[in-house]
Amino acid sequence: MNSDSVAGAPRSAESQPARRSLLRGALTGAAALGAGLTVGASPATAAPKSRPRPATPGEALRELAAGNARWRTFREKHPDETRTVRQELVTGQHPFALVLGCIDSRVPPELVFDQGLGDLMTVRSAGEVLDEAVLGSVAYGVLELDIPLVLVLGHQSCGAVRAAVEAEESGERLPAHIQYIADQISPVIDHTKEGDARIDATIDANVRLVSSRLAAEPDLAAKVASGDLAIVGARYELTNQLVHRIA
């Protein structure tokens, strides 16, 4: 990310022991049920930190920025893929950032940020659209694994945004569940612009909308207020592979 993208960020909030114990108990039970399907599997809860990890929102942002710089200059390190790391991750995980991105095949977060196993938790939906499953996934990463950064990552030429804009302009309904995605994006369609400029502006507006909705979630808002969490909107440019912050 460039210098105006991922600067300054907050730090961590209060836990909710009862609810967290309940969730961890449920996860442990689920792991026990699935033990017969895998060899040597363990619950994917937080693990001891044997490797140095970004521990604050600011550190996490800087690490993502550095990784994106490597990616777009073809100097990737492909970190955290060794035998040792794979063995460490058997007992748990401690990702330092959660990336909520689009399903677009051209924007895989682990590649875009040159990160490896156990580094990022990724949640992907068309147009970064929120529903209960997405919200629950983000909440799990933040509240259960103490991830200090949520990055909402939009991208240039987003097909979901284009579909929403074109559906509104034509008045036609989209098939099956795709209309739900369009309905979530339509409130921020930028009517001050036309054509491709409207789509491009709406991509940014949608990132801001999703970021603000996440920041309004009470549990996440408490973590932001305490300085334990930053929720940041950003955008990936397909033309030059740069990730930059969207204010």
Side-chain angles (χ1 to χ4, degrees):
M1 282 172 245
N2 63 2
S3 57
D4 65 343
S5 65
V6 290
R11 301 208 36 156
S12 242
E14 309 168 30
S15 59
Q16 300 179 16
R19 185 178 64 187
R20 293 175 66 142
S21 301
L22 181 63
L23 180 53
R24 287 199 177 106
L27 288 170
T28 303
L33 287 173
L37 303 177
T38 57
V39 178
S42 299
T45 53
K49 307 175 195 176
S50 57
R51 290 174 288 148
R53 314 291 283 162
T56 68
E59 289 173 0
L61 285 165
R62 286 189 288 276
E63 176 58 34
L64 292 185
N68 179 241
R70 294 193 300 270
W71 164 254
R72 58 192 171 87
T73 55
F74 302 95
R75 296 178 180 176
E76 300 95 321
K77 292 182 178 178
H78 303 291
D80 298 330
E81 298 176 0
T82 65
R83 179 189 298 270
T84 300
V85 168
R86 296 182 197 190
Q87 291 173 340
E88 287 177 358
L89 290 173
V90 170
T91 58
Q93 61 177 324
H94 192 75
F96 68 84
L98 186 150
V99 179
L100 170 57
C102 183
I103 60 171
D104 196 293
S105 63
R106 300 166 293 179
V107 195
E110 289 87 353
L111 296 184
V112 165
F113 294 112
D114 190 29
Q115 300 300 318
L117 296 171
D119 295 331
L120 302 180
M121 181 168 280
T122 59
V123 182
R124 300 178 71 175
S125 65
E128 309 87 59
V129 161
L130 299 176
D131 63 13
E132 284 301 307
V134 172
L135 285 167
S137 299
V138 173
Y140 177 78
V142 172
L143 302 178
E144 295 301 313
L145 298 183
D146 293 321
I147 291 175
L149 173 67
V150 173
L151 186 78
V152 180
L153 183 64
H155 67 93
Q156 180 184 17
S157 302
C158 179
V161 171
R162 177 178 290 276
V165 170
E166 291 179 351
E168 185 196 62
E169 291 172 349
S170 68
E172 295 181 6
R173 284 191 64 80
L174 295 169
H177 302 286
I178 303 174
Q179 186 61 48
Y180 173 83
I181 295 167
D183 289 342
Q184 297 301 303
I185 296 171
S186 62
V188 291
I189 291 176
D190 191 336
H191 296 102
T192 67
K193 296 181 171 60
E194 300 292 337
D196 286 344
R198 172 174 293 177
I199 294 167
D200 199 64
T202 301
I203 289 168
D204 291 359
N206 184 57
V207 168
R208 295 187 187 98
L209 173 67
V210 173
S211 300
S212 66
R213 285 179 174 172
L214 288 175
E217 288 291 313
D219 288 334
L220 302 185
K223 298 275 270 184
V224 171
S226 72
D228 247 352
L229 173 69
I231 299 173
V232 174
R235 168 174 164 145
Y236 179 72
E237 303 298 340
L238 296 173
T239 49
N240 62 8
Q241 298 84 60
L242 173 70
V243 175
H244 58 96
R245 188 165 178 167
I246 295 176

